[in-house]
Each structure stands twice: as C-alpha cells, then as structure tokens.
Amino acid sequence: MTQVQPPLEFIPPSFNPVVLRLTQWAIRPLYQQFLTNIRSIEIQNLEQLADLYSQFQAGKIRLLLAFRHPSTYDPLCLGYTIWQELPKIARQQQIPLSASPHFHFIYDRGIPLWAGSMVGWLYSQLGGTPIHRGKLDIVGLRSARHLFANGTFPLAAAPEGATNGHNEIISPLEPGIAQLGFWCVEDLKKANRPEEVLILPVGMQYRYLTPPWQALERLLAELEETCGITEPLTLETLPQLPESEMNDPQSVLSPQQQVILYGRLYRLGEHLLTQMEAFYRRFYHQQIKTDPQSPFPERLSQLLDTALGVAEQFFNIPPKGNAIDRCRRLEEAGWAYIYREDIPNLEVLSPLERSLANRIAQEADLRLWHMRLVESFVAVTGRYVQEKPSAERFADTALLLWDAIARIQGTNPFNRPRLGKQSCQIIVGEPLSVSQRWETYTQNRARAKQAVTDLTQDLQQALSGLIVADAG
C-alpha cells in the first residue's frame, strides 16, 4: 500500500437468491478441481444440524453456527455441507425443511482488501455482513445483531476471528459471539418473541488422504535453500532437540526418518528465529532477553512480543491484552492511517498534502508487516509436532514457516503450496443455550460480563472437544 485511500465503507448484506443458486451450482466442481485440494467431506451428527434448521424454519429457535477456522477452505466446506448434504440427510431422516437451507455469515472487512472488491460483492449477495476488527464497529455489530435476531437464515461466524493454521489447536476465542447471543435474547424479549437462542459448535479439521512426506521433504528443501541452509542433516549431525519419542506408529517413515525430518523442521525454525532476533536487535534496537540456549517456546514468545512492540511504538499504542488483542488494535491503527476517515474527499488535497498522506499510508503499511508476521504465529506453541509427529502436524508447521518466509520476502502468503489431497472432517456439536443464561446476564453489569466470559469458555471447551485426536 503506497497511496492514501478513502474511508472503508460498510458493505451491507444484500441477499440475492440468483447469486446463491449460481454459487451452489458452481461450488462442487470448482472447489474439487480448481480452488482447493479437498476431495471429500466427512460429516458427523448432521442429523442434529438438520433438526435445528427445521426448528429455525418453524420459528422455534434463533441459531448461530460457531465453526472452527483452521483453514481458508472452511467457508467452502461449510457451504457445501449446508447446501448439498443437509437437504439429503433431512430427506433420509424425514426431517421437515420448508425451504432450501442457507446461512448468513460474518466476515472480516479486510478480506475484500486482499481478495478483491468482487469478493465483497459476492459475500454481500450471499447474505454476508462484514465486521471491522480492532475497533467498536457499531454499524457492523448492528448489522450482525439484526441478522441474528431477524435474518431469514441462521447466522454463521468463526469465534477464533481468523485462521490459525492448526488442525489440532484452537486459538483463544473472541467474546463477540457470546455477546451477540445475549443481544439476540434481549432483542427477542423486547419484541415478545418466544424463540430460544442457541449457539452451535461446529468442528472442522483436515487430514491428508495419503501422508505427503515426499512433498513435505521438497517443501523443507525449498525453505532451507531460501534460508541459506546447505548442510545436510543426518542422525550424527542432528542439533540438540527437545526430548521426544518421535515415533508415530501410523507413519510410513521409519523412526530414524521421522527424527531426521523433525530435526530439519526444528533446525529451520531455529534458524529463522535466530535471524529475526538479530534483525530486531540490530535494526530496531530491541533488547531481546532470550538467547539461543533458551527454550524454543520462550524465544518465540519473546520475538512475537518484540515484533508487536515495534509496531506499537510507531502507532503509540500501549501493549495491552494478549497477542490477538494487540494484533487487532494495530490493524485498526494502521487502517486509520491508510483509509482516512478524517479526509472525506481526497480530491480536495493539495499535491503536497496528498504526498504527505501517501507517505504516512506507506509507513503504516510497512509497520503492519510486523503485526502480520505475528498473526501467523499466535497459536504456535513450539511443541505441536514434538507432541505428536503426524503428517498433519508436520504440514501445519511447515506451511506456517512458509507463510513467514513469504511475508519476509514480500510474496503472496495466500498462495500456499498444496502438499496433497485432503479430506475435511466436520463434526456438529451440541448446542449451547444462551436463553438459559439470560437471568444471570441481567442481574448486574459484573454478572453480565461474567456470563459472556463463561459462555465463551464453554464454547471454547466445546470446540476443543470436537477435535479428533487421531486424525491423519
């Protein structure tokens, strides 16, 4: 971003059934052959979702689908499930549906900025509503609140707020979904409506049809070359690794091959970590307290904190909250410098004023780079592969390293390598009743805040329980 932009406008939902039908018609062959490497979708407990849709259409409940968000493929897989598979199971189980199932959804306002304005138009036509993360987006929240209480379809949202790149780790949930639930109960009571408000956890997880060990080795070799790592790694030259069994009985690799592959992955992570520590020490004059002998997770946490601090210093923002909170505030601060709400009409600026506005927009975009780097690693523990050396965990971690290197090189981080064909596993959980928590919520402000926290924690636990530990 090198030029100042006009303010980001709200994209109102404008559901168009013709666009929906065209999308439903196109999604099956498109997502199989061109858009993704997903080749099958396995769904558990779909009867539960069909029954809830039936109750929704009968005016008995208001429903929000809270789905896990490990991948950018999630919306396509969720759409296919609801558009194609849900009507089938409803017919098989003789569950009445009065209309073809669909869903409104909440999406990040930033998606059309990198995916293109056409995506914003498509999301609007499909009934989606945007939310501007990082600030109190009154217009966006009002739209989501209206759709939850009055929309033609159930509402879908990812409570993690963004993809985290991990199939078996859930990022801390943002409290907005729980708050929307209580607002929906409030709106229904004001209108003397009897519907019960439910939040339905939906687990999403991916596994490779065939463990892509050869593709992973090629990817590691590519990343090693990019990082200037040329020394071959053998059992004799392995670095000092954390203690680990490194023996996955489901792997087609021998225990020795697993150890070497993990050693390469660990060496690559350490190399990148060391390079970035030196980068921030030398060029941003940061005092990083850890050293190469410190535990990997501790070093990573310190580096992420340092990167966020560099951006926060530029925008004069105090480091408050967890890494996700800090990323959201930085994003908003950067957008305020780029999408200038204080300049209603850029055309009235003098050439000098326009140049200065362009300069600050460029500076803001450069500082947001640090935040984007952190954003890719907020869920990284440093122990993910060590705890379970499955192909899925190897791939998750290697692709996150690829993301980081792509951002450092300034290439497109969304054009990820495809390591192999995958299946998507979707598990429909048990609904959480928001209505049953209403009495606690209305007692006083402190109890209301606690009710939101408790519901968020219960949702986190429910989504964690939908992770299949032996996937892959």
Side-chain angles (χ1 to χ4, degrees):
M1 185 66 66
T2 60
Q3 293 185 333
V4 65
Q5 303 294 317
L8 287 175
E9 295 182 353
F10 176 72
I11 305 174
S14 180
F15 175 67
N16 187 329
V18 175
V19 174
L20 173 61
R21 285 195 292 271
L22 290 173
T23 304
Q24 291 172 332
W25 173 80
I27 189 173
R28 180 62 179 177
L30 277 179
Y31 95 90
Q32 267 200 336
Q33 300 176 25
F34 303 111
L35 296 182
T36 79
N37 55 352
I38 305 299
R39 293 299 177 266
S40 65
I41 297 178
E42 303 168 6
I43 310 163
Q44 295 183 29
N45 204 21
L46 188 56
E47 301 89 344
Q48 170 96 287
L49 185 58
D51 180 66
L52 291 172
Y53 257 83
S54 179
Q55 292 184 53
F56 178 92
Q57 292 180 353
K60 297 178 181 179
I61 64 171
R62 301 302 298 180
L63 181 63
L64 187 147
L65 310 177
F67 63 93
R68 271 229 58 213
H69 202 9
S71 168
T72 55
Y73 297 160
D74 301 336
L76 287 172
C77 294
L78 183 64
Y80 172 78
T81 298
I82 292 176
W83 298 334
Q84 304 290 338
E85 297 300 323
L86 189 60
K88 294 180 183 177
I89 196 69
R91 288 194 295 269
Q92 292 173 6
Q93 300 294 323
Q94 297 184 337
I95 299 173
L97 291 179
S98 60
S100 298
H102 182 47
F103 55 98
H104 296 290
F105 55 94
I106 301 173
Y107 65 94
D108 174 20
R109 179 60 180 85
I111 291 177
L113 301 182
W114 58 262
S117 58
M118 186 64 184
V119 171
W121 175 87
L122 176 63
Y123 283 2
S124 172
Q125 298 291 295
L126 291 176
T129 188
I131 195 73
H132 193 154
R133 305 182 305 179
K135 73 170 187 178
L136 183 60
D137 184 2
I138 296 176
V139 176
L141 288 172
R142 185 183 296 125
S143 176
R145 181 173 180 170
H146 172 76
L147 288 178
F148 197 175
N150 305 295
T152 307
F153 314 106
L155 183 64
E160 290 171 280
T163 58
N164 73 359
H166 289 74
N167 274 292
E168 298 180 28
I169 292 180
I170 296 180
S171 297
L173 303 190
E174 299 181 1
I177 298 302
Q179 184 61 70
L180 277 175
F182 286 112
W183 282 342
C184 185
V185 177
E186 179 181 357
D187 293 342
L188 296 180
K189 288 190 175 297
K190 287 181 178 178
N192 293 318
R193 291 166 52 184
E195 299 103 308
E196 183 179 11
V197 178
L198 301 177
I199 295 178
L200 180 68
V202 179
M204 304 193 74
Q205 197 169 345
Y206 299 84
R207 65 183 181 188
Y208 289 93
L209 301 183
T210 302
W213 294 117
Q214 291 184 343
L216 275 168
E217 288 189 295
R218 288 194 297 269
L219 177 59
L220 287 178
E222 174 190 326
L223 296 178
E224 288 167 342
E225 181 180 0
T226 301
C227 292
I229 299 174
T230 57
E231 181 182 354
L233 195 63
T234 64
L235 288 174
E236 292 73 23
T237 60
L238 278 172
Q240 185 65 37
L241 302 178
E243 293 185 6
S244 174
E245 293 294 332
M246 289 309 303
N247 186 11
D248 180 9
Q250 296 180 341
S251 176
V252 297
L253 301 181
S254 69
Q256 292 81 4
Q257 289 174 314
Q258 291 180 49
V259 171
I260 291 175
L261 193 63
Y262 177 65
R264 293 175 63 187
L265 185 67
Y266 188 85
R267 180 179 64 171
L268 184 62
E270 272 218 324
H271 179 86
L272 184 60
L273 192 57
T274 301
Q275 291 284 315
M276 296 307 296
E277 287 172 339
F279 173 75
Y280 280 106
R281 283 192 181 105
R282 179 179 178 185
F283 297 107
Y284 290 94
H285 318 293
Q286 298 298 304
Q287 299 297 321
I288 299 178
K289 300 177 182 178
T290 54
D291 56 50
Q293 282 69 48
S294 300
F296 188 95
E298 183 180 335
R299 292 177 64 192
L300 178 61
S301 177
Q302 179 70 44
L303 179 65
L304 299 185
D305 180 72
T306 299
L308 288 174
V310 166
E312 288 165 341
Q313 290 171 16
F314 175 79
F315 293 112
N316 194 28
I317 297 175
K320 182 180 178 182
N322 59 32
I324 295 175
D325 296 333
R326 294 167 71 183
C327 285
R328 296 290 74 76
R329 284 199 303 276
L330 281 169
E331 182 178 60
E332 171 53 29
W335 284 7
Y337 281 19
I338 298 170
Y339 304 95
R340 297 288 293 274
E341 295 183 0
D342 59 321
I343 307 176
N345 183 3
L346 296 178
E347 301 303 321
V348 304
L349 296 178
S350 69
L352 175 61
E353 290 171 324
R354 184 66 174 252
S355 297
L356 290 173
N358 289 341
R359 176 65 63 184
I360 198 62
Q362 186 175 12
E363 287 274 3
D365 188 63
L366 289 172
R367 300 294 173 161
L368 286 178
W369 174 84
H370 303 279
M371 182 273 292
R372 297 298 180 202
L373 199 62
V374 172
E375 198 173 34
S376 299
F377 286 86
V378 291
V380 173
T381 66
R383 299 179 295 270
Y384 187 57
V385 178
Q386 178 190 354
E387 293 170 350
K388 179 188 171 186
S390 65
E392 276 68 30
R393 292 199 178 197
F394 264 105
D396 287 348
T397 305
L399 288 172
L400 284 174
L401 289 173
W402 185 91
D403 290 346
I405 293 172
R407 290 191 183 280
I408 292 170
Q409 292 184 298
T411 56
N412 183 4
F414 301 104
N415 189 25
R416 272 184 158 198
R418 297 184 185 180
L419 299 178
K421 298 177 181 180
Q422 292 178 293
S423 66
C424 174
Q425 185 166 18
I426 297 177
I427 305 178
V428 179
E430 295 296 323
L432 302 174
S433 174
V434 187
S435 300
Q436 293 177 7
R437 303 166 187 250
W438 177 249
E439 185 176 348
T440 301
Y441 179 83
T442 56
Q443 289 181 5
N444 54 55
R445 180 172 295 182
R447 296 300 298 272
K449 184 177 180 180
Q450 187 60 46
V452 172
T453 300
D454 290 344
L455 179 54
T456 302
Q457 291 175 347
D458 290 346
L459 180 57
Q460 176 109 29
Q461 184 176 1
L463 287 171
S464 296
L466 297 178
I467 291 177
V468 179
D470 60 348

